[in-house]
Amino acid sequence: MLSSMSQSQEYRGFRQLMPGDEPGGLYILMLVSLFPLYYWCFTDETTEDEFEISFVCHRPDDLEILQEETEFSKKELQFLYRAFKNECPSGVVTEDVFKLIYSQFFPQGDSSIYAHYLFEAFDTNRNGCLSFKEFVAGLSLILRGSIYDRLNWAFNFYDLDKDGFITREEMMKIMKSIYSLMGKYVYPSIHDDTPSEHVENFFQKMDRNHDGLITVEEFMESCQKDANIMRSMRLFDSVF
């Protein structure tokens, strides 16, 4: 489903975006890392046909309900459903599917850990698989949601244990998964202290009361005061 030319172009662009000292770089990287899902969903080459409910075990909600609950149009939902159905005939996306998508897009690195974290961010009911409704709900928040929606999703992505706080340990895991994803193409080249340096920069910016924990309020306030982060979010409005 991924065209080799488009995949190569996006990969070359992605590998230049390793996070710098500003948290905005990390946010941009997180958004760009969604391109494999974008290609997986939006590059389907099948012909247009009516939205049909054909899953036997996992039937998505009515189209009208999904239109009300997401920011996607009827035509976009039809397209997404076709791609989803073609790739996942059982009606659900598993973590293994996410890992396969990312391994194809980033063949020079180990993308499995990052794909695991991303899958958990989409799997809101924590049952180990994604229904069509969960999948499009997550995409809608990230690609079409308000600034608040997108920042809240990003916070939940970084908050790996979902306890309402981002810790240094969690950010270190995210950073290491990003460098593993990129493999030997990381630029600038990674050294042993690089992930921890990025984590410290992140906490200096976000941890307002210096208690070693970042709350959603601290995260929201810091991001909304950062022009680079706000600019990075708006860059993707014209892409999707």
Side-chain angles (χ1 to χ4, degrees):
M1 184 174 262
L2 302 177
S3 73
S4 58
M5 181 176 296
S6 297
Q7 177 181 344
S8 175
Q9 289 172 345
E10 295 301 341
Y11 183 77
R12 287 198 301 269
F14 183 96
R15 72 189 189 187
Q16 303 299 322
L17 284 170
M18 292 310 297
D21 292 341
E22 293 297 325
L26 189 59
Y27 187 85
I28 292 173
L29 186 63
M30 186 197 71
L31 285 178
V32 176
S33 71
L34 294 169
F35 270 111
L37 297 182
Y38 169 77
Y39 278 111
W40 184 68
C41 293
F42 289 97
T43 58
D44 183 38
E45 297 177 354
T46 58
T47 59
E48 295 251 355
D49 48 26
E50 291 300 314
F51 185 91
E52 56 181 278
I53 307 301
S54 63
F55 291 153
V56 175
C57 298
H58 300 272
R59 295 175 180 270
D61 290 356
D62 292 340
L63 179 59
E64 291 75 17
I65 296 176
L66 290 177
Q67 280 185 272
E68 293 176 0
E69 294 180 348
T70 71
E71 298 298 323
F72 291 121
S73 68
K74 177 180 178 180
K75 185 176 181 180
E76 288 170 329
L77 286 168
Q78 289 173 335
F79 197 88
L80 284 168
Y81 180 73
R82 254 195 335 271
F84 191 94
K85 181 178 65 175
N86 288 342
E87 295 297 320
C88 304
S90 66
V92 295
V93 174
T94 65
E95 184 174 325
D96 287 341
V97 172
F98 263 52
K99 289 181 178 179
L100 178 61
I101 293 169
Y102 277 81
S103 68
Q104 292 173 340
F105 204 85
F106 299 102
Q108 303 300 326
D110 179 1
S111 60
S112 61
I113 298 175
Y114 185 87
H116 168 72
Y117 294 149
L118 188 61
F119 180 85
E120 289 197 329
F122 273 86
D123 185 17
T124 54
N125 65 4
R126 322 301 293 169
N127 68 347
C129 60
L130 301 181
S131 65
F132 180 68
K133 178 181 178 180
E134 279 183 298
F135 189 63
V136 296
L139 285 180
S140 178
L141 282 176
I142 300 163
L143 305 181
R144 302 287 173 78
S146 65
I147 289 177
Y148 175 86
D149 290 334
R150 296 180 189 187
L151 289 176
N152 192 59
W153 193 94
F155 179 87
N156 288 328
F157 174 71
Y158 299 139
D159 179 18
L160 297 178
D161 63 7
K162 313 307 177 192
D163 66 349
F165 303 97
I166 300 174
T167 66
R168 280 182 169 81
E169 291 75 17
E170 286 172 325
M171 281 307 305
M172 181 66 74
K173 289 178 180 179
I174 293 290
M175 286 305 310
K176 287 183 176 180
S177 74
I178 290 171
Y179 278 108
S180 294
L181 177 87
M182 298 306 299
K184 65 182 182 180
Y185 287 108
V186 171
Y187 178 81
S189 300
I190 188 173
H191 53 83
D192 290 343
D193 295 332
T194 301
S196 60
E197 289 172 0
H198 289 317
V199 170
E200 287 307 311
N201 289 330
F202 184 87
F203 268 78
Q204 287 176 17
K205 184 79 173 180
M206 299 283 181
D207 186 12
R208 298 293 178 127
N209 63 359
H210 307 291
D211 65 350
L213 301 170
I214 298 174
T215 65
V216 66
E217 292 81 12
E218 288 176 315
F219 184 80
M220 292 283 189
E221 180 183 356
S222 298
C223 288
Q224 291 183 72
K225 290 181 177 179
D226 190 300
N228 291 328
I229 295 178
M230 293 296 99
R231 192 180 308 113
S232 74
M233 288 196 296
R234 296 187 181 97
L235 284 175
F236 289 86
D237 290 340
S238 60
V239 177
F240 300 97

